[in-house]
């Protein structure tokens, strides 16, 4: 009896009706399970996400959500070996699975760390205050709140773990629940990870649901508060994106499609250079890792016309070393495609490419395998084509064989290389390998309109480079045109896809209360005592200390110049001021700031632990000898911190507004101060 792969909907593990379709082990051909969605109530999944998961996540602050992700990432890392075991059925090698499993968990860690860039609230304050009136009593700002719906992620078969976690971690940090719909070919691996997440109890109820298998009808219930993401073929994505319910409800739809990514070899990177060797190594890796089943894999190899033969020979030799077979056998470098259906699709695309290009390496016939049976598994040899007329034919730029297949395309000039790269009509990634920064600059600026990411590879960065095919969680992933026109990840940028940006208007005092960040011009609150005497919990945004005043003297300026060694002429040589904006010897800006600190700092020991640094600092008006300065020290924002070194503490951002005897601001800065908490538990 073959097990049916379960779904997790409305807080329960359930099975679809009927026997379902059989999924096969990519190496042995044995059945690994069946999948069916018959009888599933998708509307119940949406209701549960919106009414249970969404309210629970929305109530949590960014700091709480981030710590939740951190705990989840550590938990999944402890369980990773069981995921590796399941992953063997997908045809993946250990390295392939590492990219998928630990790469996915790494995304969760990365998004957990993002919490430090957000406030300790459930919503985000975006950008800076905007003045909307002459007197400053009417201002504007932007806030971003979690959407009230659910994120529906329709994912591809090639990364059943990474594809889920790189999206879900982002929507969880934003405060939205999700429904995961992995591709049916490898949904059993996604299910194994989801089960471990659910069993951990780390996420609130309703934060995660799973549909294992086909997704027919899963988008019938979307509304304007939902978000849909799709990773897969452009044609399928286009059909889903134009569904009536998507259009009528203006549902945000992020499409990330497979594309004809290219790797370019610079004209300077001739045989014998480190860059030539790096290029061959990188391209071989991109052809063979995951058996070429990556949305970022190199499909087009764009090389100088004079180096075509060298590249063909070197790449052929490198590919010859790629042993194919059962990944559990030591020495196997490339496993199988995800299944026989995928093999048939790749074979069909290879035949299309062969109409206009010459196959210079590889075959569709049987090749020697290690520890595996060719007829039982979904195996294929790496295949390399050569097309001598890249600007005259379309197939290499339009036909994607989603496997270990790539085409060499010659170019005469860097402008021609750029033109060839653009024939792919938009891609997720391009790379150029060159030691010449002028070539790198020309290609990057020229090709950027058609690529979502560009890697410049050379000896200087190769040792630590993450490579052509690896999108990073803090950088955007997506691309224009054929690549779908979408964008995901990208650090804070990605989080904002799951939030509603709303412009707010009112007085600075009112917007201070809404944003929990002091807005310049807002009313001051009386702290009742010096702010440096108060513990973190007792400090309120808007509390202000107005200091005593100090008159700046010429002696102050001379002494500061001697102490700091800053003898810039405007501070020390009155005879050199002709033609400048200064009327006379001017005080150093950093003296003004230091003098301000002398005015607002409380010397005796208290809850303040240390000055954490400056976030912003501007000197807005010259300070001459005889000027009298004072400080308005205002609590601008409070930032929670985790307990470290056995001290519970937080960061308080103080607005330091230094003004002169006319009342005008002469310097303004934001300082970060670490302050001890009263509660040390």
């Amino acid at each position: 009896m073959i097990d049916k792969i379960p779904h997790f909907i409305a807080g329960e593990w359930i099975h679809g009706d009927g026997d379902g379709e059989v999924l096969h082990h990519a190496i042995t051909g044995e059945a690994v399970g069946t999948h069916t969605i018959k009888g599933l109530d998708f509307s119940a999944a949406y209701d549960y996400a919106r009414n249970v998961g969404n309210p629970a996540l929305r109530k949590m602050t960014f700091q709480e959500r981030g710590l939740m992700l951190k705990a989840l990432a550590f938990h999944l890392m402890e369980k990773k070996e069981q995921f590796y075991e399941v992953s063997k059925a997908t045809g993946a090698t250990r390295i392939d699975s590492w990219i998928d499993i630990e790469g996915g968990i790494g995304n969760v860690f990365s998004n957990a760390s993002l919490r430090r860039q957000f406030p300790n609230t459930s919503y985000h304050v975006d950008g800076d205050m905007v003045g909307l009136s002459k007197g400053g009593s009417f201002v504007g700002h932007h806030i971003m709140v979690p959407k009230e719906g659910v994120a529906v992620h329709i994912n591809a078969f090639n990364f059943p773990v990474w594809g889920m976690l790189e999206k879900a971690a982002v929507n969880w940090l934003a405060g939205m629940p999700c429904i995961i719909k992995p591709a049916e070919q490898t949904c059993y691996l996604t299910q194994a990870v989801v089960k471990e997440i659910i069993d951990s109890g780390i996420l609130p109820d309703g934060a995660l649901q799973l549909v294992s298998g086909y997704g027919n009808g899963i988008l019938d219930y979307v509304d304007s508060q939902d978000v849909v993401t799709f990773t897969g073929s452009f044609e399928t994505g286009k059909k889903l994106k134009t569904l009536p319910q998507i259009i009528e409800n203006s549902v945000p739809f992020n499409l990330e499609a497979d594309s004809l990514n290219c790797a370019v070899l610079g004209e300077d990177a001739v045989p014998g250079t480190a860059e030539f060797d790096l290029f061959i190594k990188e391209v071989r890796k991109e052809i063979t890792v995951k058996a070429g089943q990556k949305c970022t894999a190199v499909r087009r190899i764009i090389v100088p016309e004079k180096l075509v033969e060298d590249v063909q020979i070197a790449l052929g030799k490198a590919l010859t070393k790629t042993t194919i077979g059962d990944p559990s056998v030591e020495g196997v470098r490339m496993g199988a495609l995800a299944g026989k259906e995928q093999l048939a699709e790749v074979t069909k695309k290879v035949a299309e490419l062969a109409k206009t290009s010459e196959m210079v390496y590889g075959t569709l016939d049987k090749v020697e395998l290690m520890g595996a049976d060719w007829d039982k598994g979904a195996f294929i040899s790496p295949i390399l084509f050569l097309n001598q007329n890249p600007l005259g034919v379309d197939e290499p730029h339009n036909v994607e064989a989603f496997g270990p297949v790539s085409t060499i395309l010659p170019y005469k000039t860097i402008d021609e290389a750029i033109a060839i790269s653009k024939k792919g009509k938009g891609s997720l990634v391009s790379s150029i390998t060159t030691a010449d920064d002028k070539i790198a600059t020309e290609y990057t600026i020229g090709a950027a309109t058609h690529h979502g990411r560009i890697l410049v590879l050379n000896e200087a960065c190769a040792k630590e480079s993450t490579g052509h095919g690896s999108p990073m969680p803090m950088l955007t992933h997506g691309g224009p045109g054929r690549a779908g026109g979408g964008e995901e990840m990208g650090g804070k940028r990605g989080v904002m896809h799951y939030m509603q940006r709303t412009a707010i208007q009112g007085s600075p005092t009112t917007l201070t209360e809404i944003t929990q960040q002091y807005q310049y011009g807002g009313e001051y609150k009386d702290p009742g005592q010096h702010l440096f005497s108060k513990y973190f919990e007792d400090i309120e945004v808007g509390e202000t200390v107005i200091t005593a005043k100090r008159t700046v003297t010429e002696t102050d300026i001379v002494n500061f110049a001697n102490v700091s060694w800053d003898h810039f002429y405007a501070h020390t040589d009155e005879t050199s001021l002709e033609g400048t904006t200064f009327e006379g010897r001017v005080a150093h800006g950093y003296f003004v700031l230091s003098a301000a600190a002398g005015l607002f700092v409380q010397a005796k020991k208290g809850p303040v632990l240390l000055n954490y640094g400056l976030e912003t600092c501007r000197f807005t008006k010259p300070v001459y000898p005889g000027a009298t300065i004072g400080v308005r020290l205002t609590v601008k924002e409070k930032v929670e911190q985790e307990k470290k070194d056995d001290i519970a503490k937080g960061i308080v951002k103080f607005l330091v507004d230094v003004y002169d005897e006319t009342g005008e601001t002469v310097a303004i800065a934001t300082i970060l101060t670490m302050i001890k908490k009263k509660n040390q538990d």
Side-chain angles (χ1 to χ4, degrees):
M1 188 73 177
I2 303 172
D3 291 336
K4 281 196 287 189
I5 299 163
H7 315 273
F8 189 71
I9 292 178
E12 296 182 353
W13 287 103
I14 60 174
H15 292 93
D17 298 334
D19 295 332
E21 294 187 22
V22 179
L23 295 173
H24 297 277
H25 196 293
I27 302 297
T28 67
E30 296 174 355
V32 295
T34 65
H35 68 95
T36 171
I37 62 168
K38 289 182 180 179
L40 294 190
D41 184 359
F42 289 138
S43 66
Y46 279 86
D47 289 344
Y48 193 68
R50 291 168 181 154
N51 299 325
V52 179
N54 189 286
L57 286 167
R58 284 173 61 85
K59 281 193 291 188
M60 299 172 70
T61 68
F62 276 103
Q63 306 308 311
E64 291 169 335
R65 294 178 205 139
L67 291 173
M68 174 187 75
L69 292 181
K70 183 179 179 181
L72 179 61
F74 275 117
H75 177 78
L76 292 178
M77 282 298 284
E78 290 177 359
K79 305 292 183 179
K80 67 181 181 181
E81 289 304 325
Q82 66 190 52
F83 306 145
Y84 275 109
E85 191 62 31
V86 178
S87 183
K88 291 177 180 178
T90 70
T93 65
R94 179 79 183 192
I95 291 296
D96 297 339
S97 297
W98 178 82
I99 296 169
D100 186 29
I101 296 167
E102 296 192 49
I105 298 171
N107 265 267
V108 182
F109 272 121
S110 185
N111 279 278
S113 297
L114 260 185
R115 70 188 184 280
R116 300 187 182 99
Q117 298 183 32
F118 288 96
N120 190 38
T121 57
S122 61
Y123 54 92
H124 175 57
V125 181
D126 184 33
D128 298 318
M129 185 189 80
V130 179
L132 301 175
S133 64
K134 187 175 181 180
S137 64
F138 185 60
V139 298
H141 219 310
H142 294 87
I143 60 170
M144 301 193 73
V145 297
K147 290 178 178 288
E148 293 185 345
V150 57
V152 182
H153 300 310
I154 302 173
N155 297 335
F157 69 84
N158 53 336
F159 288 107
V161 182
W162 183 89
M164 169 179 63
L165 294 180
E166 62 97 358
K167 295 179 180 181
V170 181
N171 65 246
W172 288 328
L173 184 62
M176 280 190 78
C178 64
I179 299 171
I180 302 292
K181 208 301 291 180
E184 57 277 4
Q185 296 99 313
T186 54
C187 65
Y188 49 87
L189 177 52
T190 308
Q191 187 271 331
V193 178
V194 169
K195 185 177 187 306
E196 195 54 55
I197 294 174
I198 298 300
D199 288 349
S200 75
I202 293 171
L203 300 183
D205 291 345
L208 173 62
Q209 297 180 81
L210 172 71
V211 175
S212 304
Y214 294 128
N216 307 61
I218 197 171
L219 297 182
D220 290 350
Y221 304 94
V222 293
D223 67 24
S224 61
Q225 286 294 307
D226 300 325
V227 176
V228 177
T229 73
F230 173 83
T231 301
S233 75
F234 179 75
E235 290 303 317
T236 302
K238 184 170 64 175
K239 290 176 183 177
L240 295 178
K241 193 173 183 177
T242 54
L243 286 172
Q245 57 269 39
I246 298 290
I247 296 172
E248 290 169 9
N249 291 290
S250 300
V251 178
F253 191 107
N254 190 77
L255 171 56
E256 189 248 292
D258 305 327
S259 57
L260 281 296
N261 310 295
C262 62
V264 180
L265 181 64
E267 293 175 280
D268 61 304
V270 298
T273 63
E275 281 66 34
F276 183 87
D277 294 340
L278 285 169
F279 181 79
I280 297 301
K281 181 179 179 181
E282 189 71 15
V283 171
R284 182 206 63 78
K285 181 179 71 174
E286 289 302 317
I287 291 174
T288 59
V289 166
K290 290 286 289 185
Q293 299 169 110
K294 295 198 306 176
C295 57
T296 55
V298 172
R299 307 299 180 196
R300 298 178 297 154
I301 308 166
I302 304 174
V303 303
E305 196 173 58
K306 63 183 180 180
L307 299 179
V308 166
E309 185 176 358
D310 295 305
V311 169
Q312 181 182 323
I313 293 171
L315 199 49
K317 288 181 178 178
L319 291 171
T320 301
K321 298 176 183 177
T322 304
T323 49
I324 309 169
D326 185 343
S328 63
V329 175
E330 188 174 349
V332 170
R333 300 284 295 276
M334 190 176 93
L337 299 178
K340 287 294 184 81
E341 289 184 3
Q342 183 61 19
L343 176 60
E345 179 66 19
V346 172
T347 301
K348 175 185 172 184
K349 297 297 185 182
V350 167
E352 290 182 39
L353 287 168
K355 292 177 183 178
T356 56
S357 299
E358 175 190 359
M359 190 182 296
V360 294
Y361 180 87
T363 176
L364 288 174
D365 297 330
K366 289 184 179 180
V367 296
E368 184 180 351
L369 301 178
M370 290 182 65
D373 186 325
W374 181 274
D375 295 323
K376 292 181 179 179
F379 295 101
I380 188 173
S381 158
I383 291 174
L384 192 60
F385 283 104
L386 171 64
N387 189 294
Q388 297 284 8
N389 185 24
L391 289 173
V393 298
D394 293 328
E395 284 81 359
H397 313 290
N398 292 341
V399 178
E400 181 183 26
F402 202 70
V405 183
S406 195
T407 303
I408 297 174
L409 306 168
Y411 73 87
K412 294 181 176 65
T413 65
I414 192 65
D415 285 340
E416 190 168 285
I418 293 169
I420 294 169
S421 80
K422 291 179 178 179
K423 285 209 69 175
K425 299 177 182 177
S427 80
L428 296 172
V429 57
S430 173
S431 60
I432 180 165
T433 305
T434 176
D436 189 324
D437 288 343
K438 290 184 178 179
I439 292 175
T441 301
E442 189 172 353
Y443 179 79
T444 300
I445 302 304
T449 54
H450 284 60
H451 306 285
R453 176 169 59 90
I454 295 178
L455 163 70
V456 179
L457 183 63
N458 53 39
E459 190 176 18
C461 68
K463 187 175 181 180
E464 295 185 304
S465 170
T466 50
H468 170 104
S470 299
M472 304 305 292
M474 293 300 108
L475 298 178
T476 56
H477 178 50
R482 180 189 169 118
E487 183 181 285
E488 59 193 29
M489 300 198 297
K492 289 179 72 172
R493 299 176 186 87
V495 176
M496 293 176 186
H497 293 316
Y498 300 95
M499 307 187 81
Q500 174 62 46
R501 180 183 286 107
T502 301
I504 56 175
Q505 299 165 283
S507 73
T509 301
T510 300
L511 266 56
T512 292
E513 291 301 314
I514 294 173
T515 62
Q516 284 302 293
Q517 295 179 9
Y518 178 73
Q519 306 302 326
Y520 193 76
E523 292 178 3
Y524 299 134
K525 297 178 182 178
D526 183 359
Q529 62 189 103
H530 196 286
L531 287 166
F532 281 22
S533 299
K534 303 182 76 171
Y535 287 95
F536 181 81
E537 299 98 319
D538 299 330
I539 294 173
E540 293 184 23
V541 171
E543 289 186 329
T544 301
V545 167
I546 298 178
T547 72
K549 297 179 180 180
R550 168 178 177 169
T551 299
V552 177
T553 67
E554 190 167 317
T555 301
D556 289 329
I557 299 172
V558 172
N559 287 341
F560 190 82
N562 291 330
V563 169
S564 66
W565 291 17
D566 179 356
H567 296 284
F568 186 64
Y569 71 87
H571 311 308
T572 57
D573 184 5
E574 291 186 88
T575 65
S576 300
L577 298 178
E578 185 178 348
T580 73
T581 60
F582 300 119
E583 300 171 2
R585 185 196 300 265
V586 65
H588 304 69
Y590 293 110
F591 165 74
V592 173
L593 198 58
S594 297
L599 291 171
F600 69 70
V601 165
Q602 180 174 269
K604 66 179 181 179
K605 186 176 181 180
V608 173
L609 298 173
L610 53 87
N611 186 324
Y612 201 60
L614 278 173
E615 196 168 68
T616 58
C617 179
R618 290 180 60 207
F619 306 119
T620 57
K621 181 182 178 182
V623 175
Y624 299 108
T628 298
I629 59 172
V631 180
R632 293 179 283 258
L633 182 72
T634 303
V635 179
K636 184 176 179 180
E637 185 181 354
K638 295 172 64 179
V639 181
E640 290 280 349
Q641 281 203 326
E642 295 170 56
K643 187 174 182 178
K644 291 182 179 179
D645 303 321
D646 294 325
I647 300 176
K649 58 192 179 298
I651 301 297
V652 175
K653 297 182 181 182
F654 286 106
L655 181 68
V656 180
D657 184 3
V658 188
Y659 61 97
D660 64 13
E661 69 278 4
T662 69
E664 291 186 56
T665 295
V666 298
I668 191 162
T670 300
I671 64 166
L672 286 70
T673 303
M674 186 179 290
I675 299 182
K676 192 175 183 179
K677 289 185 177 180
K678 182 185 299 181
N679 183 359
Q680 288 294 307
D681 293 336

